[in-house]
Amino acid sequence: MLYKDYLTKRRQYQEEGCNLLLEKKHACLFYEPGKGKTYPCIDAILEVQRLKGKDIQVLIISSCDAIRKMWQPDIVSQKILPKNTYLVTDRTAIGDISKALLETHWDVMVVDECHIVKAHNSKIHRLVQKLSRKIEYVFGLTGTPRGNRDIDIWCQFQALNVANQGNLSYTAWTNAYCDFEIGYGQFGQFKTPTSIKSKYKNWWDELLREYCQFVNYDDEDDMPDLNINVVKLPY
């Protein structure tokens, strides 16, 4: 769907998603694939430009696949983004241009496929965390926010500085808010955070409601039939 068609067909949840990004400034849209999270984000970007009354600087960081297969052919080709919009792959961002990214004044940063920053000790996580502390509007987009733990989402909050979570260290936060599993390895005992402590569950759920929009599939979605191909392996 082209953006001009979307403008007449946008759904209520997409309008709500755009409003969430604008109101919270650092927030996430967690839509199942195909539910249309990109255009609400573009709505928010264009509204920021309108509010500022000038050409804004926009940084979009995403995976190589997403930029090559979606952003470039589907979005950039429509010429709907602000003219000072720069698309950078996560791998490129952590390379030689990282210093230039940090030295540039950005009005908006979009981290598409933001599960790419869920590893708290990765280079892309650390770079995005440094950037997000200086940028007024930071939007995270993904259809797969969780791995196996809610802690994956918190790590995205930390990188994107959602609800000022970027001011907390991973170690301090997990020690305060998480239950741990104790294991033993070559170098002795180690602890792995597994889940949010029960006494903080209400706080955590409220944080998710306030700064994220989750959109799942529903009965009105015209999804294709499941097709299963059986492959027999000699064994």
Side-chain angles (χ1 to χ4, degrees):
M1 180 189 298
L2 295 176
Y3 185 66
K4 64 181 181 180
D5 300 318
Y6 159 81
L7 291 175
T8 62
K9 298 178 180 179
R10 61 162 71 93
R11 298 189 177 186
Q12 182 177 348
Y13 71 79
Q14 292 174 311
E15 292 184 11
E16 293 169 352
C18 171
N19 291 336
L20 173 71
L21 298 178
L22 291 169
E23 177 189 351
K24 296 301 181 182
K25 297 189 175 182
H26 290 227
C28 299
L29 302 184
F30 295 148
Y31 292 12
E32 294 277 7
K35 294 297 286 184
K37 59 186 175 293
T38 306
Y39 283 153
C41 178
I42 291 173
D43 281 344
I45 292 171
L46 296 177
E47 180 61 13
V48 171
Q49 178 157 272
R50 188 192 70 81
L51 290 170
K52 290 186 176 292
K54 64 173 185 176
D55 291 332
I56 60 172
Q57 297 269 104
V58 180
L59 174 64
I60 298 174
I61 298 176
S62 188
S63 66
C64 180
D65 264 3
I67 289 179
R68 182 168 54 89
K69 296 179 180 179
M70 190 279 287
W71 283 99
Q72 291 286 4
D74 296 342
I75 305 300
V76 174
S77 62
Q78 295 186 63
K79 302 186 185 304
I80 54 178
L81 295 168
K83 68 177 184 180
N84 295 325
T85 298
Y86 300 86
L87 282 84
V88 180
T89 69
D90 53 332
R91 291 191 177 186
T92 302
I94 61 175
D96 295 338
I97 71 166
S98 60
K99 183 179 179 182
L101 294 178
L102 289 166
E103 291 175 348
T104 301
H105 170 77
W106 303 103
D107 297 288
V108 179
M109 176 170 67
V110 178
V111 183
D112 183 36
E113 307 292 344
C114 63
H115 55 271
I116 60 178
V117 298
K118 70 181 182 182
H120 71 96
N121 55 357
S122 66
K123 290 182 179 179
I124 188 61
H125 178 104
R126 291 195 290 266
L127 175 62
V128 168
Q129 186 176 7
K130 289 178 182 177
L131 286 164
S132 65
R133 289 174 176 172
K134 305 190 298 180
I135 300 174
E136 184 177 2
Y137 291 89
V138 179
F139 307 147
L141 312 175
T142 184
T144 53
R146 282 186 181 88
N148 298 317
R149 313 170 301 164
D150 277 335
I151 298 160
D152 293 336
I153 295 182
W154 182 82
C155 287
Q156 293 165 66
F157 280 8
Q158 183 196 37
L160 302 172
N161 200 23
V162 172
N164 294 317
Q165 297 300 297
N167 296 327
L168 302 172
S169 74
Y170 175 82
T171 300
W173 188 84
T174 53
N175 284 338
Y177 291 95
C178 295
D179 291 321
F180 285 83
E181 181 180 83
I182 305 299
Y184 296 90
Q186 180 180 359
F187 301 104
Q189 186 186 89
F190 62 88
K191 298 193 305 180
T192 303
T194 56
S195 59
I196 308 296
K197 290 178 180 177
S198 58
K199 67 179 180 179
Y200 294 118
K201 263 293 186 182
N202 289 338
W203 165 81
W204 176 247
D205 291 342
E206 182 59 32
L207 198 66
L208 295 181
R209 281 193 295 269
E210 188 173 353
Y211 289 93
C212 307
Q213 186 191 31
F214 292 85
V215 176
N216 301 314
Y217 298 126
D218 56 47
D219 293 337
E220 296 180 2
D221 293 322
D222 185 20
M223 302 299 291
D225 294 332
L226 180 64
N227 183 25
I228 299 176
N229 294 316
V230 177
V231 178
K232 293 184 178 181
L233 301 176
Y235 176 73

